[in-house]
Amino acid sequence: MSKARRSSKLDQRRVFRPRRRFPYGTVLRQLTVVVLMLAAVAGLAVLLHQLPQQVDIMLLLSEAIADLIRGVQQLLEAMLGLAAIVLISAIVLLAGILLLGALWRLIRIFRLVIFPPTQGRR
C-alpha cells in the first residue's frame, strides 16, 4: 500500500467508515462484573440476616458506647494532667524570674551602700 493511499484512509471522515462489529468482549466483561457484584450483595444479605442470631446487637452497642465514654474520660484526664504540668512549669518559671530580679536589685542596693555615688556622677 502506498503512503498516499494509507494517508487518505486515515483522513477519511468518520461518516464514511464502515461500522465496527458488536463489542462482545466488553459486554461479557461488564456482565461478569455485574454477576460478581450481585453475588457479593447476596452473600452480605445472608450474613446480615444471620448476624442477630449470633451476636446480641444491643449488648455490643452498649459496650461500644461505654468504651467510647471511658476513652473520652481518659483523654480529658490526660489533658487535665498536661494542663497541670504546664501551669506548674509556668509558676516555676515566674518564681525564677522574680528571684533573679530580686537578686539583681539586691546587688544594686549593696553597690549603693558599699560604693556611695559621688556628687559629680549621676
Side-chain angles (χ1 to χ4, degrees), residues 79-93:
M79 289 175 63
L80 186 63
L82 186 62
I85 289 172
V86 168
L87 182 64
I88 290 171
S89 300
I91 291 172
V92 167
L93 185 65

Side-chain angles (χ1 to χ4, degrees), residues 39-88:
V41 167
L44 290 173
V46 168
L47 175 77
L48 288 174
H49 179 68
Q50 293 177 353
L51 191 63
Q53 297 168 0
Q54 297 172 357
V55 176
D56 185 11
I57 303 243
M58 292 306 290
L59 178 65
L60 183 67
L61 182 65
S62 65
E63 285 180 4
I65 291 173
D67 288 342
L68 180 66
I69 291 171
R70 276 194 296 269
V72 169
Q73 182 181 4
Q74 286 180 348
L75 177 66
L76 291 176
E77 286 176 2
M79 289 175 63
L80 186 63
L82 186 62
I85 289 172
V86 168
L87 182 64
I88 290 171

Side-chain angles (χ1 to χ4, degrees), residues 5-111:
R5 198 166 176 202
R6 226 184 295 157
S7 165
S8 68
K9 275 194 169 186
L10 293 176
D11 294 337
Q12 194 178 31
R13 290 184 12 195
R14 185 169 184 82
V15 178
F16 300 113
R17 288 186 188 165
R19 288 191 62 178
R20 291 185 175 179
R21 63 180 184 88
F22 188 75
Y24 291 107
T26 305
V27 172
L28 186 62
R29 185 173 54 237
Q30 292 293 331
L31 188 61
T32 304
V33 170
V34 167
V35 169
L36 288 174
M37 290 174 97
L38 289 175
V41 167
L44 290 173
V46 168
L47 175 77
L48 288 174
H49 179 68
Q50 293 177 353
L51 191 63
Q53 297 168 0
Q54 297 172 357
V55 176
D56 185 11
I57 303 243
M58 292 306 290
L59 178 65
L60 183 67
L61 182 65
S62 65
E63 285 180 4
I65 291 173
D67 288 342
L68 180 66
I69 291 171
R70 276 194 296 269
V72 169
Q73 182 181 4
Q74 286 180 348
L75 177 66
L76 291 176
E77 286 176 2
M79 289 175 63
L80 186 63
L82 186 62
I85 289 172
V86 168
L87 182 64
I88 290 171
S89 300
I91 291 172
V92 167
L93 185 65
L94 179 65
I97 290 172
L98 289 174
L99 180 65
L100 288 175
L103 287 174
W104 179 254
R105 288 182 182 267
L106 187 62
I107 290 171
R108 286 178 58 195
I109 290 173
F110 281 146
R111 259 186 45 204

